[in-house]
Amino acid sequence: MVLLGQLLDSKGHAVHAIAPGASVIDAIRSMAQNHVGALLVMDGTQLAGIVSERDYTRKIALQGRNSRDTRVEEIMTRSVVTVGAKTGTRACMALMSEKRIRHLPVVDGDTVLGVVGESELGSLVASQRHNVALQIAEATAVADLKAAAECVDH
């Protein structure tokens, strides 16, 4: 089973963030420059919210608001769903599906360790399944099958 802490260790702990008082246009520019679909909204070292392309589309574009004159804190999601570094990938995928979210901040108490997206998790799970399928196909003994079964992320 792969834990989010392990995933962050391999992909990196980079956190793309913006301040609550920044303009929405600055947030959109940052997302574009960093090739991400969401930014954490940080008030100093505290996680204050998350702002995504969805927030922009629904709360600025569709409402005819001006992204230059609107602050991030006016459109951000304040109730951020977070997970810990010891959370498994499948549990995260289930949570993201249930909450209909695409990005999950990984935290340790009040410290943000990184962010994982649904595409990263999906790719990882697909890779795990492929590896298990190869192990099963190459199995020559029951012990080989047991080893393959231990690789499955529950």
Side-chain angles (χ1 to χ4, degrees):
M1 172 171 65
V2 176
L3 304 178
L4 288 190
Q6 296 167 313
L7 177 58
L8 288 177
D9 287 343
S10 67
K11 83 165 200 110
H13 291 261
V15 173
H16 300 287
I18 196 157
S23 69
V24 171
I25 192 72
D26 287 340
I28 295 301
R29 284 185 183 129
S30 180
M31 285 184 229
Q33 289 169 351
N34 292 296
H35 307 286
V36 295
L39 300 173
L40 297 187
V41 182
M42 301 294 292
D43 190 1
T45 60
Q46 296 296 311
L47 179 61
I50 188 166
V51 64
S52 68
E53 294 166 330
R54 263 190 205 175
D55 292 320
Y56 172 79
T57 301
R58 294 177 180 173
K59 299 172 185 174
I60 298 292
L62 291 177
Q63 294 181 13
R65 296 171 74 182
N66 185 322
S67 59
R68 291 185 191 333
D69 298 331
T70 306
R71 293 187 319 271
V72 168
E73 64 192 345
E74 295 175 54
I75 70 162
M76 71 183 187
T77 300
R78 293 178 187 276
S79 305
V80 183
V81 176
T82 62
V83 292
K86 293 184 179 181
T87 306
T89 54
R90 292 206 194 257
C92 287
M93 290 184 68
L95 179 63
M96 292 171 96
S97 179
E98 175 191 331
K99 300 291 185 181
R100 301 189 67 186
I101 56 177
R102 296 181 182 160
H103 305 90
L104 267 176
V106 182
V107 299
D108 181 9
D110 288 338
T111 303
V112 176
L113 303 175
V115 179
V116 294
E118 75 178 347
S119 61
E120 294 164 326
L121 291 172
S123 294
L124 178 63
V125 169
S127 175
Q128 288 174 329
R129 287 180 180 168
H130 176 75
N131 290 340
V132 169
L134 287 176
Q135 287 179 324
I136 291 170
E138 295 172 356
T140 58
V142 173
D144 296 335
L145 292 174
K146 287 181 180 178
E150 290 176 7
C151 295
V152 176
D153 184 6
H154 297 286

